[in-house]
Amino acid sequence: MSTGSPTARRGHVFASVPGWKRSFALLSEAAADEVTRAVVFVHGYSGKARSTWTDFLSLVDDDRIAGLWWETSDLFFYDYFWRSMFRRVGENALDLFHFVHDVFPKPPQALFDGGGTSIRRDFSYRELTLVGHSEGGVLIRKIILHAADRNAPLVAWRRTPEASRPAVLPKPDGILVANVRLFAPALGGEALAGMMGVIASLPIISSALHASAAKLDLAPGATAITSARRYTDEWSKAVDLECFKAHIVWAAHDFVVDPEKYLDDLQCTRSPKGTDHASVCKPTRQYPFPVTFVERGVEYDKC
Amino acid sequence: MTSVRQPEWQRFARAKFIEEMSNEDAYRESGRSLDVLRKVELDSESFLRLVQSLLPTAAALVEQRGWLEIGASIGYFHTAPPLDEADRRIIFAASESSEGLWHPWFRRFARSAAGGDISAYVPETLRSASTAALGIFQAAFILAAEFRDPLLVALQRALHDGTSVLDKPVEPVSAAAVFEAMETSVDMSWQELRSQQKSPRLVAGFLQLAGLLAAFDALFPFDNIISDSPRPATARDAISKMMANLLMWRLNLWSEVVVRRLEVISAAFWELCGREFARYPELSFRWAPQEARAELDRLLHAWRERSDVDPGSPRPDLSGIAGRKRRTPAPNREFSFEDEDANAES
C-alpha cells in the first residue's frame, strides 16, 4: 500500500506520556493541522505497551506498509502491565478512561514540549481510534459505556420516549467519537487468569498450544464481562454510534479467549493464517494485516 | 524514502530520548551508583577498582551514550549532547577493566565513545537514514527500555554478577511464589530486588525475558539471516546488528557462565510450566513442550547471532536453556487468511 505524500515521508517521534508511567506516544511529524487523529493501543492481561504491539512501532513509518492515514496519526501506547494482573477489570477500565480522557481530544501541552521547543501548541484531535488486544478489548468497551453514561445529552435523549425524541441524535464528543478495532478480544471472558494466564499468554507458549479432547474451560461468566456486553448491546440498540460497533479479528488458533462478539460488532469472517492469541496483533513485514485492519476495520465482512 | 527531520523535531526527539533514559526505572537501575562514580575522588588505581565493581552501572552509561551517538549519526537527532569529563572517565576506566567480562565489541565501542568518535560503528547505509530506518531505530530504543523492568534487571544481575544463586540448581518454584514475586516487585526498591536473588523473582524475570525476546524477534525477524542463503544487508539488518551489540551486555549469550546460569533458571521455568498445565487437565487445550522449547531456542539463537563475534570466540551451546539439543527451522511466516472451513474447525 502506498498512499503516502509525494514528498519525504513524515515519521513519528517517541515521547513518554506525562503522568502515565511506561505509557508512551509516537507523535507524527506532519504539520499540526494535518494531524487529526489519535490512535490508542490497549494491551491485554500480563501484556505490555512496548512488547504487545511490536512491530507497529516501526511499520507505521514504512511506506510499503502504512499510508497517509498513519502518517498523520499520533499513536498512544497505554501500559497497565502490573495492574492487568493484580487489579480488577473495573478499576483498570477507570484508569484507562482517565488516560484516554487525558490525551483526547486535547492532550497535555507537556507532551509537545521538549528541547526548548514546543512542536505543537493549543492542539486538539478530531478523531479517535481505540485498539485493543484481549482484555484490552473489554476495557475499551467499558470506557465507552462509562463515557456514554456521563454524557448528559445522550442519556437524556435515550431516556426520552421514542415518540417524543428529537430526530437527530445529540452530537457525540470525547471517547464517544471513537472507532473501535479489537484483536482477539476477551469479550466472552478469558479462559485463564493467574499464573496460568501469564504463562499461556507468553508468545513462546501461546504458539505451542493445541486443542485437547476435553472441552471444559475455566471461563468464568464474570460480572465485568457479562455486564459490558448487556449494556453495550442496549446502547447500541438505542443509538447509532460507531463506538458501540467494534470491528474484530480473531486469531486462527486461540485457546485463551472465546470468540464471542456483541450484537452489532463486525468481525472478519476469516482469521489470519498461522496466528495465535499473542501473534494476531503483531504486524511484521510478512504479516502487515494488523496495520491495515486498524486503519480500515471490517468492510462488508471482509478484512 | 529519505527523512527530512526538521531541526525543532530533532531537538524535541533528543530531549525526549534523554528524558526516557533518565526516568525512574533508569535511575533505579544505575542512577544512584552513577552519582557516586561521578563524584568520588580517588587515585586512578582505586577508581579503576571501584568501576570494576560497578561494571553494570558503567555498561548502562555506555549503552545510553550509544543510543545518543548512534541517533545523532543516523539523523534521528542533530547532535548528541557532549560527554562530560566525569562520564568520560568512568567509560574509559570501564573499558580498561572489563576484559573478558564485556563482549569485545561493547568494550571497543566504549573506548570509542569515550574518545568522542563512534563513526566506525555506523554503516554507510544508515547515514542520513530514511524515515523507515529512523522508525526502526526508535522502535529498538523503545523495546530496549523493557530491560530496565525491575524483575528483568534482577535476572540480568543474577546472570552476570561475579557470584550468583544460579551457580547451582535452584529448587522448584511454585506458581503462587512467582505470582507473588511479580505482585510485590512494584512495591520493592530496586536495591532490594537486586540484593536478594530469590528464585521466584528470577523466574518472574525469565518470563519477562521470554516476552521481550519475542518482541525483538518481531522487530528484527531473523529467519532469513540464519538460513543458508545470504541476502543484501538492509537498514533493518544494520540497525539489528548495532542494537544487538549495544544490548549484549544485558544478555551475553557468548558467555559460558551466563548460558549455564540461564539453563538453571530456565529449568525452573519449564518445570513450572509443566506443573501448571498438569494442574488443569480439564482445559480445552494442551501445550506442546517441544514446540515451546524450540521457539525459545530459536529466539535465543536469533538474539546472539544478530551480534558481531570476534573470530575464534567460543560459541556456548544454547540448547540446554531450551532443554533440547537440535534446532528446528523457523516457522513459515508467509501471510494469508485461513480457509473459512479450517477456521470454523479451529
Side-chain angles (χ1 to χ4, degrees), chain B residues 18 21-23 26-43 46-48 50-51 53-54 56-66 68 81-94:
Chain B
I18 292 171
M21 290 191 298
S22 49
N23 68 9
Y27 189 75
R28 286 170 76 180
E29 182 188 34
S30 59
R32 222 166 277 143
S33 311
L34 265 179
D35 285 347
V36 171
L37 285 174
R38 281 169 178 148
K39 287 174 189 159
V40 73
E41 290 180 12
L42 292 171
D43 61 78
S46 305
F47 185 69
L48 212 63
L50 180 62
V51 170
S53 71
L54 292 171
T57 299
L61 181 62
V62 174
E63 183 193 320
Q64 283 180 17
R65 202 61 210 163
L68 290 169
L83 183 64
D84 68 35
E85 209 40 55
D87 285 357
R88 188 187 310 280
R89 185 173 179 231
I90 295 167
I91 294 175
F92 259 132

Side-chain angles (χ1 to χ4, degrees), chain A residues 81-92:
Chain A
F81 164 70
W82 185 88
R83 293 191 301 279
S84 76
M85 293 180 286
F86 302 111
R87 291 285 179 267
R88 289 170 177 273
V89 168
E91 288 176 67
N92 289 334

Side-chain angles (χ1 to χ4, degrees), chain B residues 54 82 163 181 193 195 280 283 286 309 330 336 344:
Chain B
L54 292 171
T163 57
L193 280 167
S195 59
Y280 300 107
L283 285 176
R286 59 187 168 75
V309 59
S336 65

